[in-house]
Amino acid sequence: MTSPPSAATPLLRAESLYLRRGSRVVLAVERLDVFPGETLALIGPNGAGKSTLLHVLAGLISPDRGRLLFRGRPIRARDTLWYRRHLAVVMQAPLLLDTSVERNVALGLLFRRISREERRTRVARWLERLGIAHLRRRRARALSGGEAQRVALARALATEPDLLFLDEPFAALDAPTRHSLIGELFDVLRETGQTTVVVTHDREEAFTLADRVAVLLAGRIRQVGTPEEVFNRPTDEEVAAFVGVENVLDATIVSVAEGLVRLRVGDVLVDVAGTGHWPGCHVRVAVRPEDITLWPGAPELPPSSARNTLRGDVVHLRPVGTNVRVVIDCGTFEMIALVTRRTVRELGLKPGTPVGLTFKATAAHVIGPGLPGQETS
Amino acid sequence: MERSNIGQRKRVRGVESVVQGMYEAVRLMWSRDPAVLDVVGLTLFVSGTATLLSVVIGVPLATVLALNEFPGRTLLVSLINVGMGMPPVLVGLVVALLLWRSGPLGSLGLIYTPTAMIIAQAVIALPLVTGLGIAALQQLDPRLPLQLLGLGASRRQMVIVLLWEARLPLLAAVMAGFGAAISEVGASMMVGGNIARQTRVLTTAIVLETSRGQFALAMALGIVLFLLAWLVTLVLTTIQQRAGPPR
């Protein structure tokens, strides 16, 4: 999963999209590119405008200002039907018609006036591909949630679109159904080289499906990058808060040398990989809880690639799914580490236990201005 | 009014007239009295045409009102809804005033013709077809239009699919419109005049026979009216239920 070369022509480019409802600005997107063959995830909290952006990108609603370019060609008002016939949309609800599964899957092909034989082959192919061939004569309204969403996906994929838009397609499904469907969809998208834009508020989904992730907050795109970039090196605090970096600490830059930024956090020094910062700046440093290693007691650790060693006492433990979130008091600040239940048992972690914490300089990330004299509030 | 040659006239009252009416109804239908057939035929023609007219105007109107947002829309829908309960006599009065020989449309010479009755009944059925049509389309998922566009539908294809999806309640709207048209009497009387063999329909004939004290005959005509309305509704209901999805 690498970001496509910037030289490639985007399949779809959005320029200066602007949309308001009443006095509220719903969308203000300077630029967004979708490259051929990639899966771009639009992530953001509820109400960030993700679905609205998807609808605008799919030509379903027109923005107040701005334009779309499809294969470098601007889409004018009279081209929207032509454009819409190059794409297919799957929404959160399957929205199937009250007829058989087969006829539902053929719907997009009927709209495109595709011949009967071609329709039959394509419908059969996609029903088969999504594992619902046995349901083809069933009434669509009588299907379970997971089956219905498979039909909705087959209906969209049967049009063999240049661009596939998925608007939280799994949000309404239960966890096991969701996981198996995401896995299968991932395979289909890779095999067919399908260019896809998927809206989600689920980080795992974005991580699994996406080549690139765009973070949308309050109608603006705040960061675009590979999932690793966005999840490990969020550009600012709000993105960090959304993507789930829990350790965000106030820090002052002490020195910058050899690709390492040395910061003072409370009364300890922390090394973070990076350049482009100036000593004296007030910044924040972010470390993901899963990147922190815990050691029992107050060990004397040999030098290692983990450049940062802190000490503290466990404050409390809280199970999170199959893992445990451990809050550690490091004197003037708190750190959160995510460890397995087994680790908790074997290290005998409980409130009050003294522990050592280590993390690599590359696991931490400086958030804040790269210029001297500016302060983050 | 000219003396009607419909059936035999007996002065019967109360429960007896119901029984008598049933017998008379069977006899009337069995005898295929040309005068009765005229009345039945005209009733079907007038109310059927009026219903068709109200569907041709009402369904597109309902589509526009259900799928678009524009200022004054709520006001218009509320007017249609109040029209669903409009007294037919009032419609009859307005249509009669318009078509009166000295009225604005008097030169067309339509007063006391079946055409005038069709116009009046269509005006009565229109709010029902439109109002229930709007409700039929609005009970669809509000996200469905966008979903259809997102699958490559043109506006036209989208509307066709939406109407198809709402076909069951839409047929109910048509049935309600037909029911209102065929059961209406005041307006038909006012603009048609209840002229034998010209503008006499079942409802106006029932009024006439009742006023003459021919209760059995009136009852017989009432039963014919009921059976007729039922038959047409049965046909529509059969279409409605058949139009359901495949097994």
Side-chain angles (χ1 to χ4, degrees):
Chain A
M1 292 196 203
T2 51
S3 64
S6 54
T9 324
L11 184 60
L12 178 67
R13 165 169 289 179
E15 281 180 351
S16 327
L17 296 182
Y18 188 81
L19 178 70
R20 54 196 303 166
R21 294 231 171 96
S23 60
R24 200 168 73 90
V25 176
V26 184
L27 279 184
V29 172
E30 264 319 300
R31 167 98 161 252
L32 184 65
D33 288 337
V34 184
F35 293 97
E38 76 165 341
T39 297
L40 173 71
L42 297 176
I43 66 170
N46 289 333
K50 303 184 296 286
S51 291
T52 311
L53 177 56
L54 184 114
H55 289 163
V56 170
L57 292 178
L60 302 181
I61 50 179
S62 39
D64 299 338
R65 274 211 313 271
R67 61 175 191 168
L68 299 176
L69 290 97
F70 183 62
R71 294 200 177 111
R73 178 182 155 182
I75 302 163
R76 290 157 300 177
R78 61 190 164 94
D79 302 329
T80 46
L81 179 60
W82 167 84
Y83 171 57
R84 283 195 281 102
R85 287 192 174 158
H86 283 84
L87 59 87
V89 179
V90 178
M91 299 195 179
Q92 185 176 337
L95 297 170
L96 302 177
L97 300 188
D98 192 8
T99 177
S100 68
V101 165
E102 206 162 39
R103 287 194 202 174
N104 266 287
V105 174
L107 189 64
L109 306 176
L110 276 172
F111 289 152
R112 287 165 176 78
R113 300 183 199 293
I114 282 167
S115 75
R116 205 187 164 84
E117 285 91 84
E118 175 71 10
R119 243 170 27 221
R120 199 171 292 163
T121 15
R122 283 216 223 166
V123 168
R125 186 194 310 157
W126 286 100
L127 284 173
E128 189 65 46
R129 189 65 188 79
L130 284 154
I132 45 174
H134 60 291
L135 300 174
R136 70 181 194 283
R137 295 205 186 277
R138 284 269 292 280
R139 183 183 168 182
R141 289 276 164 88
L143 301 176
S144 73
E147 289 169 340
Q149 201 55 304
R150 276 169 196 273
V151 175
L153 281 169
R155 179 173 66 178
L157 287 164
T159 65
E160 292 171 8
D162 292 330
L163 259 168
L164 178 66
F165 289 94
L166 307 172
D167 188 0
E168 306 232 18
F170 312 112
L173 304 177
D174 58 75
T177 312
R178 188 166 64 231
H179 285 132
S180 65
L181 200 48
I182 290 176
E184 284 179 54
L185 181 66
F186 178 82
D187 291 343
V188 171
L189 298 184
R190 288 308 116 120
E191 269 171 42
T192 52
Q194 176 69 56
T195 311
T196 309
V197 178
V198 55
V199 161
T200 178
H201 64 262
D202 185 289
R203 290 169 246 157
E204 231 175 283
E205 217 171 280
F207 233 129
T208 315
L209 290 172
D211 297 308
R212 289 193 310 144
V213 171
V215 183
L216 196 68
L217 297 174
R220 282 160 214 278
I221 291 190
R222 300 287 284 269
Q223 186 172 5
V224 184
T226 63
E228 288 79 3
E229 278 166 3
V230 172
F231 288 97
N232 295 332
R233 294 189 294 285
T235 46
D236 58 49
E237 269 173 74
E238 284 177 272
V239 174
F242 175 71
V243 299
V245 178
E246 287 184 87
N247 295 306
V248 179
L249 306 164
D250 285 314
T252 312
I253 296 180
V254 178
S255 64
V256 183
E258 293 174 66
L260 271 186
V261 182
R262 175 156 288 185
L263 307 111
R264 175 171 294 283
V265 181
D267 54 1
V268 296
L269 291 176
V270 169
D271 284 345
V272 175
T275 49
H277 295 273
W278 275 264
C281 283
H282 296 287
V283 291
R284 284 177 179 188
V285 57
V287 191
R288 301 183 68 82
E290 53 267 44
D291 289 335
I292 293 174
T293 310
L294 293 186
W295 304 81
E300 279 305 312
L301 298 170
S304 73
S305 63
R307 291 202 57 88
N308 299 295
T309 305
L310 308 174
R311 294 185 196 292
D313 299 314
V314 174
V315 180
H316 70 252
L317 302 116
R318 178 170 300 151
V320 181
T322 53
N323 296 323
V324 179
R325 193 169 165 271
V326 185
V327 181
I328 299 134
D329 180 5
C330 296
T332 48
F333 57 93
E334 286 189 342
M335 294 288 278
I336 296 158
L338 195 68
V339 297
T340 60
R341 284 165 191 266
R342 191 159 171 178
T343 304
V344 171
R345 212 168 44 240
E346 289 178 1
L347 298 187
L349 296 179
K350 55 181 184 294
T353 314
V355 286
L357 299 80
T358 58
F359 59 92
K360 293 165 74 172
T362 48
H365 166 57
V366 175
I367 296 174
L371 297 170
Q374 282 185 343
E375 290 197 2
T376 42
S377 51
Chain B
M1 282 295 141
E2 182 202 337
R3 214 183 84 102
S4 167
N5 59 353
I6 294 173
Q8 68 185 100
R9 313 228 159 76
K10 266 191 203 156
R11 291 181 185 273
V12 201
R13 295 185 185 279
V15 183
E16 235 180 298
S17 67
V18 176
V19 180
Q20 191 72 30
M22 298 240 184
Y23 167 75
E24 191 81 346
V26 172
R27 208 190 56 75
L28 272 181
M29 284 178 286
W30 197 253
S31 67
R32 276 179 276 173
D33 182 330
V36 176
L37 289 183
D38 272 0
V39 173
V40 170
L42 190 68
T43 303
L44 273 181
F45 170 70
V46 168
S47 297
T49 312
T51 308
L52 200 68
L53 208 61
S54 70
V55 168
V56 167
I57 300 168
V59 171
L61 191 61
T63 310
V64 170
L65 287 171
L67 300 183
N68 295 287
E69 282 289 338
F70 53 87
R73 179 180 165 277
T74 309
L75 192 76
L76 210 56
V77 174
S78 73
L79 270 174
I80 288 164
N81 287 339
V82 76
M84 285 163 72
M86 197 161 41
V89 176
L90 187 60
V91 175
L93 177 65
V94 173
V95 175
L97 285 175
L98 286 173
L99 299 181
W100 209 257
R101 301 216 197 284
S102 57
L105 301 173
S107 55
L108 299 174
L110 291 176
I111 194 78
Y112 300 140
T113 63
T115 310
M117 296 164 76
I118 289 170
I119 293 170
Q121 291 192 1
V123 171
I124 289 158
L126 184 64
L128 278 160
V129 174
T130 313
L132 295 176
I134 292 171
L137 286 165
Q138 282 180 341
Q139 52 96 42
L140 296 174
D141 194 303
R143 297 165 296 183
L144 192 55
L146 274 192
Q147 172 67 83
L148 295 174
L149 294 179
L151 286 167
S154 63
R155 289 286 299 181
R156 207 180 122 91
Q157 288 170 330
M158 179 192 83
V159 168
I160 292 169
V161 173
L162 292 177
L163 291 174
W164 175 251
E165 277 297 283
R167 63 199 178 274
L168 304 187
L170 274 178
L171 272 168
V174 175
M175 283 185 251
F178 178 75
I182 199 170
S183 65
E184 179 286 319
V185 55
S188 296
M189 192 77 95
M190 290 166 88
V191 305
N194 195 22
I195 305 164
R197 289 169 176 260
Q198 283 178 45
T199 59
R200 180 166 299 167
V201 288
L202 281 164
T203 50
T204 56
I206 292 168
V207 172
L208 175 69
E209 298 306 335
T210 307
S211 69
R212 281 178 174 175
Q214 301 290 336
F215 296 117
L217 181 57
M219 193 61 220
L221 291 170
I223 290 166
V224 173
L225 176 63
F226 171 77
L227 289 177
L228 207 60
W230 183 46
L231 198 72
V232 172
T233 311
L234 182 68
V235 170
L236 287 173
T237 309
T238 309
I239 296 170
Q240 185 192 42
Q241 298 306 318
R242 282 248 179 96
R247 308 117 349 247

